[in-house]
Structures are given as C-alpha cells and as structure tokens.
Amino acid sequence: MRDKVTLSVFRDLFRRLGISALWYAGVFAVVILVLQIVFKAAGVDGDVALTVISAISTRFYMLVLGIVCPLVYFTHYLAVGVTRKQFAVGIFAAGALLSLCFALLRAPMLIIENVFSPLALLVPALYGALAFLVGWTAAVGFQYMRGVPICVGTICAAAMFHGMIAVERLQLPLSAHLPISAGAIALVGAVLLVAVQRIPVKC
C-alpha cells in the first residue's frame, strides 16, 4: 500500500476495527471462563472444545464485520475524497490484519495442546480474512440498492460460506488448506474490487 490515502484508510479502519475487537475479545474471554468452569464440572475436555469454539466464534465475528463495516464506512470515506479502490484495499487490509491478530491470540492454546506450527496460525488467519470477504460479498449487493445485485450477492455469499464448511469437513492437512484459502481470497477479492468500483453513489 504505497498510496498514502490507502494507507491512511487502512490505519484508521484498523483502529476502528481494533476497538470493536477489544470489546469482542473481552466478552469472549468471560464466556470462555464460564464455559471452562462448566466443562470442568461436567468432566468434558475443555481445552479442545475451547480451541474449536474460539476458531468458530472468530470466523463468525469476521463474517459479521465483513457485512457491517463496508455498509457503515463506505459513504463516509467517499465523502472525504477517498476513491472506491482506495477504500476497498484499505478495509480489506485492515480486516486481514485483524484476522491475523486473532490467530496470534490463539497461539497459547495451540502450544498447550502441542499442535503449534506456523501453518496452524496462518491458515485460520486466511480463513478469517476469507470470512470477511464473504460477509462483504453479502453486503455489496445492498450498496447497489437494486434487487438483482442484492440477490446475487446474498446467494454467492451463502454458497461461499457453505463451501468453506464443506472444505473443512474434508479434514485436509493444513498444507492443503493454505493454497485453497489463499486462492479463494485472491479470486473473491478481485471480483469484489471490480464490484465495489461500480457501486453507484449519489452526488
């Protein structure tokens, strides 16, 4: 991001997303603490369950951010002179970095379970970034304010979300998930970039 405006958008949006993520992390930590107590009382292996819960919860959170943030911030940044492309690159970079931060926070749990590896951090980060794009795909149709784009965006987002679930059910090794998630991000991101640059804006 050599473009200074894009970099500024990225920094500002990452700060905004980071603040909301701190609230999410705080609430999630309380929920985890309560679940840990419940699991121990029930004799359930809480460590494994909590690792799975954290991954699923974070992905859904990134999905919701992908839906909400473009709808909230798009017109705001365009009103101050930011181009559609600068906004798109900036907000995705902010979402991707936030997903990486969430993945890094899971490192202690991975170490405790003795399954820590660079791929064990990178793959969830990529899937979190992909979830952000999936949510954005659902939102972008509404920004066109027309029936057909809304239907297309919603259907495509639902199909991609179910595709992510289907791929995970295959129980492939992490090395296989890396090119799948990276390729999906590149493809969906490229399509979204084109779609965002064509969003009509009232003068």
Side-chain angles (χ1 to χ4, degrees):
M1 289 187 296
R2 297 179 180 179
D3 184 344
K4 291 183 178 180
V5 175
T6 303
L7 185 59
S8 178
V9 172
F10 157 70
R11 288 175 175 171
D12 185 52
L13 284 172
F14 182 71
R15 179 182 59 82
R16 293 171 186 268
L17 297 183
I19 292 173
S20 65
L22 288 176
W23 283 98
Y24 160 77
V27 173
F28 183 73
V30 173
V31 173
I32 288 295
L33 180 61
V34 173
L35 288 176
Q36 188 76 287
I37 295 172
V38 172
F39 286 146
K40 286 184 178 180
V44 178
D45 186 357
D47 291 335
V48 175
L50 291 177
T51 302
V52 174
I53 290 171
S54 67
I56 295 174
S57 175
T58 300
R59 191 165 303 171
F60 272 103
Y61 180 74
M62 294 301 300
L63 179 73
V64 172
L65 280 184
I67 295 172
V68 174
C69 291
L71 295 176
V72 172
Y73 295 119
F74 181 72
T75 54
H76 167 75
Y77 282 96
L78 262 63
V80 296
V82 175
T83 67
R84 294 168 177 80
K85 182 178 180 180
Q86 289 168 335
F87 172 80
V89 174
I91 195 171
F92 173 67
L97 182 57
L98 181 63
S99 180
L100 178 59
C101 291
F102 279 133
L104 292 174
L105 288 175
R106 296 179 66 240
M109 287 186 284
L110 297 175
I111 293 173
I112 291 173
E113 295 176 20
N114 199 30
V115 292
F116 177 83
S117 70
L119 280 179
L121 291 180
L122 182 58
V123 169
L126 289 173
Y127 274 115
L130 180 58
F132 184 85
L133 290 180
V134 171
W136 193 358
T137 300
V140 73
F142 287 90
Q143 293 179 295
Y144 278 80
M145 296 178 289
R146 296 199 303 270
V148 173
I150 291 173
C151 290
V152 171
T154 303
I155 292 172
C156 288
M160 287 188 289
F161 184 75
H162 286 292
M164 290 172 60
I165 295 175
V167 169
E168 289 192 334
R169 286 179 177 173
L170 296 176
Q171 296 184 339
L172 300 172
L174 289 174
S175 57
H177 282 287
L178 184 62
I180 292 173
S181 56
I185 287 173
L187 178 60
V188 178
V191 174
L192 266 177
L193 182 59
V194 174
V196 169
Q197 291 185 91
R198 297 180 178 178
I199 294 175
V201 178
K202 293 182 179 180
C203 299

